[in-house]
Amino acid sequence: MSIHPTAIISESAVLGLDVTIGAFTIIYDNVEIGAGTVIESHCEIGIGNAMSESKVLVIGKNSLIRSHSIFYEGSTFGSELITGHRVTVREKTTAGLNLQIGTLSDIQGHCEIGDYVRFHSNVHIGQMSVIGNYVWIFPYVVLTNDPHPPSNILQGVRIKDFAAIATMSVLLPGAIIEEGVLVGAHSNLKGITEANFVYSGNPAVKVCATSKIKLQDGSGNPAYPWKERFKRGYPKSISDQW
Amino acid sequence: MSIHPTAIISESAVLGLDVTIGAFTIIYDNVEIGAGTVIESHCEIGIGNAMSESKVLVIGKNSLIRSHSIFYEGSTFGSELITGHRVTVREKTTAGLNLQIGTLSDIQGHCEIGDYVRFHSNVHIGQMSVIGNYVWIFPYVVLTNDPHPPSNILQGVRIKDFAAIATMSVLLPGAIIEEGVLVGAHSNLKGITEANFVYSGNPAVKVCATSKIKLQDGSGNPAYPWKERFKRGYPKSISDQW
Amino acid sequence: MSIHPTAIISESAVLGLDVTIGAFTIIYDNVEIGAGTVIESHCEIGIGNAMSESKVLVIGKNSLIRSHSIFYEGSTFGSELITGHRVTVREKTTAGLNLQIGTLSDIQGHCEIGDYVRFHSNVHIGQMSVIGNYVWIFPYVVLTNDPHPPSNILQGVRIKDFAAIATMSVLLPGAIIEEGVLVGAHSNLKGITEANFVYSGNPAVKVCATSKIKLQDGSGNPAYPWKERFKRGYPKSISDQW
């Protein structure tokens, strides 16, 4: 256990073995932090609010929460969560193993996220989003939820396994991204999609099967499905079975 | 009064009754904080710069400034200001009652903002923006001001009462959003608009009267003007008179 | 020398004459900070990671790093670096004189940046970007690098002298922005460009020579090249010779 002397830790917080807490970080009451997890400096972990209903925040073991990050109580993360700096994660989100959340990303809460999902920097995940496994979301993507802004209606976005959403795209309320779909950069996508197709543009339209996109390495090999060629960061036991 | 022992408070700062200041927060000299206001941890309140001309920062009573937020001196906010985390508010902005500023939003200063305005997360309000009452601005919207970047010219955007600007839209320098206008997501809007119309696309074009948009609840009722159906967060004395 | 008593400074860090360090700031081991530089509160300077290879972080003299900013080790900045708040700068970036980095901007590392470059707020500079001198990049612009997301390929963007990239534009992997090009707001630009032309739209297309854009001041004078009319912030010895 390594707690910086300037950190402020509630006596009610439950810290596993070999947890590290950085300088100027605050850990509130209603928090369980798994063994081997590192929480860097200037963080706030376990903020309560009216919607968290005093449910505990669970951070899985061997996680890394980089500096200046903020987590509310009432969410649960599997082991090996990794965040960039200044992430914000609100209440009542459930995520599987090894979620990665890039610098400045903002998860608005009330979301379900599968295993091995990667959010790059500065993505915004609206409430009620449901995200499968092995999904990639690139910088400045926004998942919306309000079909009649402002309203009290929440139609979350759904993204299925192996989909990839490129930079600066907006997924409109209730959009469904099927397995293996690629959404091109700067797209504005509404409605449903077909698995393993490319959608692109503003408004986004169906472009072609993802298998039509070739690698630019002269091999003539298809670039998608990406799981056939890109295994970085996944356990071999998983990527061998894709 | 509840001041965390790690907070650094200037003796010149004027704090009202029952003000709460969180850990690792800095309050500078030239600040007046209204009674009942809560300023959370890791904030900086009242930074001076060359453009603030040593004018005081006034935060109205019963406000809530969430953690990691930064305010410059020289702005004035009415009561019940509510911010998310990590907001940045520069000098010489004037706002009315109950402004809400979402996480990561950046108000560049020299703006006028009316009553009951809501900025969602990560909006960027350029200098010289003039915003009416009951306006909604959604995530990743940018209000620009420079018609010939880079230049010394500042043509602020003007947004009138009850307008709503959806996610990831850019309002170009000098754009005028009339009362009740809805700007669709991911739009790029230049020039003037007509009240109670929908504008959408890149470039944005006039689509239809807002009254043509129906609720998706099977009622056949129009979704706009939104003030007819959405009252959350407004005092009844106001929303009854809309 | 003015070090706030709450700051945490490694004994290995090398601080020049008259350096100022704010409250709650952490300076790690492998850092050289030039004379006259100010580092404000709540910063982290010199974070190590696997990719920084223990190379030193050099901040040039007379720089200003505003509060809540984060720099990794392994980058080098010329004198008079100026940042906004909450900037993030990863390892192995080299920048020349008087780089300005706006609030919330994120430089992902492994970039080359020339002299007198200005990033406005909330820009995202992907790895392997190469940026010349006197370049302007406006809010919410993203420089990408992955042609087949996700992949291990990094095709950085190249931007040459005097180019200006307007708000919310995406430069796709390998894009080359030639000298004096203007990219309009909310553009999605792929491939190569011709010097001193305007590109705009999603997808971006060549619009006209920049010299066709006239100032809106009634003079009939061309607005571009901007270097003929806008000299703010550049030493006279430089702007006289443009």
Side-chain angles (χ1 to χ4, degrees):
Chain A
M1 192 84 72
S2 167
I3 310 289
H4 194 276
T6 60
I8 300 172
I9 319 280
S10 164
E11 291 188 4
S12 305
V14 178
L15 274 57
L17 286 174
D18 292 321
V19 163
T20 300
I21 310 287
F24 313 122
T25 278
I26 305 174
I27 312 287
Y28 294 102
D29 297 348
N30 200 10
V31 174
E32 292 179 17
I33 300 177
T37 287
V38 175
I39 298 179
E40 294 187 347
S41 70
H42 303 89
C43 291
E44 275 191 290
I45 307 295
I47 299 175
N49 73 354
M51 286 175 285
S52 62
E53 295 177 332
S54 301
K55 291 188 191 300
V56 67
L57 169 66
V58 179
I59 305 285
K61 64 183 179 181
N62 298 322
S63 294
L64 170 58
I65 296 180
R66 288 200 173 85
S67 66
H68 291 80
S69 291
I70 297 173
F71 280 69
Y72 279 62
E73 64 180 16
S75 291
T76 297
F77 296 87
S79 62
E80 297 181 62
L81 169 69
I82 299 178
T83 85
H85 305 279
R86 307 181 229 286
V87 309
T88 311
V89 183
R90 290 261 306 272
E91 71 283 349
K92 291 200 176 171
T93 284
T94 305
L97 300 171
N98 191 222
L99 172 63
Q100 297 183 7
I101 309 175
T103 291
L104 289 168
S105 288
D106 183 356
I107 300 178
Q108 296 265 303
H110 305 263
C111 297
E112 297 173 33
I113 302 170
D115 292 337
Y116 299 99
V117 168
R118 279 82 172 94
F119 301 146
H120 207 287
S121 301
N122 214 324
V123 304
H124 180 96
I125 308 294
Q127 290 185 14
M128 307 303 287
S129 299
V130 178
I131 298 173
N133 306 298
Y134 319 112
V135 166
W136 282 82
I137 302 185
F138 290 89
Y140 292 70
V141 166
V142 175
L143 275 58
T144 65
N145 56 28
D146 185 348
H148 303 306
S151 82
N152 287 314
I153 309 168
L154 288 175
Q155 294 182 349
V157 166
R158 185 161 183 192
I159 303 179
K160 299 191 182 171
D161 296 2
F162 298 106
I165 318 297
T167 299
M168 200 78 84
S169 289
V170 173
L171 304 183
L172 292 169
I176 300 178
I177 308 298
E178 295 290 345
E179 186 166 330
V181 160
L182 173 64
V183 177
H186 230 316
S187 296
N188 194 44
L189 190 142
K190 186 176 183 175
I192 63 171
T193 56
E194 188 175 344
N196 299 307
F197 270 77
V198 181
Y199 291 78
S200 188
N202 182 359
V205 297
K206 189 200 281 194
V207 176
C208 61
T210 57
S211 58
K212 297 282 187 189
I213 301 179
K214 304 301 181 193
L215 288 173
Q216 298 176 7
D217 60 2
S219 67
N221 290 333
Y224 296 88
W226 61 259
K227 65 183 177 181
E228 302 299 329
R229 59 168 171 80
F230 183 81
K231 317 271 185 181
R232 191 182 69 204
Y234 305 102
K236 197 165 182 313
S237 60
I238 285 177
S239 61
D240 279 354
Q241 296 183 38
W242 280 345
Chain B
M1 192 84 71
S2 168
I3 310 290
H4 194 276
T6 60
I8 300 172
I9 318 280
S10 164
E11 291 188 3
S12 304
V14 178
L15 274 57
L17 285 174
D18 293 320
V19 164
T20 300
I21 310 287
F24 312 123
T25 279
I26 305 174
I27 311 288
Y28 294 101
D29 297 350
N30 200 11
V31 174
E32 291 178 18
I33 299 176
T37 287
V38 175
I39 297 179
E40 295 188 346
S41 70
H42 303 89
C43 290
E44 276 191 290
I45 307 294
I47 299 175
N49 73 354
M51 286 175 287
S52 62
E53 295 177 331
S54 302
K55 290 188 192 300
V56 67
L57 168 66
V58 179
I59 306 284
K61 65 183 178 180
N62 298 322
S63 294
L64 170 58
I65 295 180
R66 288 200 174 85
S67 66
H68 290 80
S69 291
I70 297 174
F71 280 70
Y72 280 63
E73 64 179 16
S75 290
T76 297
F77 296 87
S79 61
E80 297 180 61
L81 169 68
I82 299 178
T83 84
H85 305 280
R86 307 180 226 286
V87 309
T88 311
V89 182
R90 289 260 308 272
E91 72 284 348
K92 291 199 176 173
T93 284
T94 305
L97 300 171
N98 191 222
L99 173 62
Q100 298 183 6
I101 309 175
T103 291
L104 289 168
S105 288
D106 183 357
I107 301 178
Q108 297 264 302
H110 305 263
C111 297
E112 296 172 33
I113 302 170
D115 292 337
Y116 299 99
V117 169
R118 279 83 172 92
F119 300 146
H120 207 286
S121 299
N122 214 324
V123 304
H124 179 96
I125 308 295
Q127 289 186 13
M128 308 303 287
S129 298
V130 178
I131 298 173
N133 306 299
Y134 319 112
V135 167
W136 282 83
I137 302 186
F138 290 90
Y140 292 71
V141 166
V142 175
L143 275 57
T144 65
N145 57 28
D146 185 349
H148 303 305
S151 81
N152 288 315
I153 308 168
L154 288 175
Q155 294 182 348
V157 166
R158 186 162 183 190
I159 303 178
K160 299 190 182 172
D161 296 2
F162 298 106
I165 318 296
T167 299
M168 200 77 84
S169 289
V170 173
L171 304 183
L172 293 169
I176 300 178
I177 308 297
E178 295 290 346
E179 186 166 330
V181 161
L182 172 65
V183 177
H186 229 317
S187 296
N188 194 45
L189 190 143
K190 185 176 182 175
I192 63 171
T193 55
E194 187 174 344
N196 299 307
F197 271 77
V198 180
Y199 291 78
S200 188
N202 182 358
V205 296
K206 189 200 283 194
V207 175
C208 62
T210 57
S211 57
K212 297 283 187 188
I213 301 179
K214 303 300 180 194
L215 287 173
Q216 298 175 6
D217 60 2
S219 67
N221 291 333
Y224 296 89
W226 61 260
K227 66 182 177 182
E228 301 300 328
R229 60 168 170 80
F230 183 81
K231 317 268 185 182
R232 191 182 70 203
Y234 305 103
K236 197 165 183 313
S237 59
I238 285 177
S239 61
D240 278 354
Q241 296 184 37
W242 281 346
Chain C
M1 192 85 71
S2 167
I3 310 290
H4 194 276
T6 60
I8 300 172
I9 318 281
S10 164
E11 290 189 4
S12 305
V14 178
L15 274 57
L17 286 174
D18 293 321
V19 164
T20 300
I21 310 287
F24 313 121
T25 279
I26 305 174
I27 312 287
Y28 294 102
D29 297 348
N30 200 11
V31 174
E32 291 178 17
I33 299 177
T37 286
V38 175
I39 297 178
E40 295 187 346
S41 70
H42 303 88
C43 290
E44 275 191 290
I45 307 294
I47 299 175
N49 73 354
M51 287 176 284
S52 62
E53 296 178 330
S54 302
K55 289 188 193 299
V56 68
L57 169 66
V58 179
I59 305 284
K61 65 184 179 181
N62 298 322
S63 293
L64 171 58
I65 296 180
R66 288 200 174 85
S67 66
H68 291 79
S69 292
I70 297 173
F71 280 70
Y72 279 62
E73 63 179 16
S75 290
T76 297
F77 296 87
S79 61
E80 297 181 62
L81 169 68
I82 300 178
T83 84
H85 305 279
R86 306 182 229 285
V87 308
T88 311
V89 183
R90 290 261 307 273
E91 70 283 347
K92 292 200 176 171
T93 284
T94 305
L97 300 171
N98 191 222
L99 173 62
Q100 297 183 7
I101 308 174
T103 290
L104 289 168
S105 289
D106 183 357
I107 300 178
Q108 296 264 303
H110 306 262
C111 298
E112 295 173 34
I113 302 170
D115 293 336
Y116 299 99
V117 168
R118 279 83 172 91
F119 301 146
H120 208 286
S121 300
N122 215 323
V123 304
H124 180 95
I125 308 294
Q127 289 186 14
M128 307 304 287
S129 299
V130 178
I131 298 173
N133 306 299
Y134 319 111
V135 166
W136 282 83
I137 301 185
F138 290 90
Y140 293 71
V141 167
V142 175
L143 275 56
T144 65
N145 56 29
D146 185 348
H148 302 305
S151 82
N152 288 313
I153 308 168
L154 288 175
Q155 294 182 349
V157 166
R158 185 161 183 191
I159 304 179
K160 299 191 182 172
D161 297 2
F162 299 106
I165 318 296
T167 298
M168 200 78 83
S169 289
V170 172
L171 304 183
L172 292 169
I176 300 179
I177 308 299
E178 295 290 345
E179 186 166 331
V181 160
L182 173 65
V183 177
H186 230 315
S187 296
N188 194 44
L189 190 142
K190 185 176 182 175
I192 63 172
T193 56
E194 187 174 344
N196 299 307
F197 270 78
V198 180
Y199 292 77
S200 188
N202 181 358
V205 296
K206 189 199 281 194
V207 176
C208 62
T210 56
S211 58
K212 296 284 186 189
I213 301 178
K214 304 301 181 193
L215 288 173
Q216 298 176 7
D217 60 2
S219 68
N221 290 333
Y224 295 89
W226 61 260
K227 65 183 177 181
E228 301 299 328
R229 59 169 171 78
F230 183 80
K231 317 269 184 181
R232 190 182 70 203
Y234 305 102
K236 198 165 183 309
S237 59
I238 285 177
S239 61
D240 278 354
Q241 295 184 38
W242 280 346

